[in-house]
Amino acid sequence: MASGKSTIGRSLAQALGWPFFDVDREIEASTGVPVSLIFEKEGEAGFRARETRMMAELTAKTGVVVAMGGGAPMFEMNRKLLARGFVIELRSSVSDIIERTRRDTTRPLLAAEDRAARIRALMLERGPVYAAVSDAHVVTSRANPERIVERILEMPQVREAVRRAEALKGEHSS
């Protein structure tokens, strides 16, 4: 949450010449309402069902960059969907997340008296799952998004994943 998934994902997609999709924005576009309203009306379970359906659609594509919600990997079906692609975990510090979300009232999971404690609890809960599903990780705390994208593109395992995706795209277009 607030680690830079959309900003860095969009920049990475642009650098690769690939389409970019943000799961939450795609859900909002398909429903016509904000994610916060879906949480309010349908609860987290309703939102997560929509998230899984959107992830299934987006992870079926080749040669795309997709920003997933922070809670997505916590569900078995979503972990299976993530395995379709190359997953990069973006890591930020608690203080950076607090700073990035200080004026944000649209994050239902941060509606807590003590935001720092809530963020730490989410990190402890999600950390092992993120480590298990991620092919690589990048620290985004106090770093320039363009530099983060450069670091991602310099990773040998990312270059190999891009090469494989481009080859697959080529096979599908012939």
Side-chain angles (χ1 to χ4, degrees), residues 17 21 23 32 43 46 52 54 60 66 87 89 95-96 112 125 128 158-159 168:
F21 299 96
V23 171
T52 297
M54 186 59 68
V66 180
V87 179
E89 175 193 2
S95 61
D96 281 345
E125 175 188 3
V158 170
R159 288 197 306 267
L168 279 173

Side-chain angles (χ1 to χ4, degrees), residues 6 38 42 69 102 109 127 150 158 174:
S6 296
I38 295 170
E42 299 178 7
R102 101 182 111 90
L109 294 179
E150 288 172 10
V158 170
S174 22

Side-chain angles (χ1 to χ4, degrees), residues 1 7-8 17-18 20 26-27 35 43 68 90 103 111 119 132 135 150 159 170:
M1 184 180 309
T7 301
I8 292 164
W18 291 359
F20 171 74
E26 295 298 315
I27 291 170
V35 165
M68 304 289 175
L90 303 182
R103 291 190 187 96
I119 292 166
D135 298 298
E150 288 172 10
R159 288 197 306 267

Side-chain angles (χ1 to χ4, degrees), residues 21-42:
F21 299 96
D22 179 300
V23 171
D24 287 355
R25 300 302 76 80
E26 295 298 315
I27 291 170
E28 289 177 340
S30 71
T31 62
V33 298
V35 165
S36 58
L37 184 62
I38 295 170
F39 260 86
E40 181 183 318
K41 298 294 183 189
E42 299 178 7

Side-chain angles (χ1 to χ4, degrees), residues 17-132:
W18 291 359
F20 171 74
F21 299 96
D22 179 300
V23 171
D24 287 355
R25 300 302 76 80
E26 295 298 315
I27 291 170
E28 289 177 340
S30 71
T31 62
V33 298
V35 165
S36 58
L37 184 62
I38 295 170
F39 260 86
E40 181 183 318
K41 298 294 183 189
E42 299 178 7
E44 185 175 359
F47 169 74
R48 295 299 176 192
R50 291 177 183 277
E51 179 180 57
T52 297
R53 286 191 300 272
M54 186 59 68
M55 286 177 60
E57 180 182 323
L58 296 175
T59 60
K61 299 176 183 289
T62 302
V64 298
V65 175
V66 180
M68 304 289 175
M74 302 307 292
F75 300 88
E76 180 65 30
M77 181 61 199
N78 294 348
R79 289 192 292 273
K80 290 177 182 173
L81 294 170
L82 287 169
R84 291 176 167 178
F86 188 87
V87 179
I88 301 172
E89 175 193 2
L90 303 182
R91 296 180 181 168
S92 287
S93 68
V94 172
S95 61
D96 281 345
I97 293 170
I98 289 171
E99 177 59 29
R100 292 173 187 161
T101 62
R102 101 182 111 90
R103 291 190 187 96
D104 191 340
T105 59
T106 64
R107 295 179 189 262
L109 294 179
L110 284 186
E113 191 81 19
D114 184 346
R115 270 191 168 193
R118 179 67 178 138
I119 292 166
R120 277 192 289 278
L122 285 169
M123 288 174 134
L124 282 172
E125 175 188 3
R126 294 174 175 182
V129 175
Y130 288 0

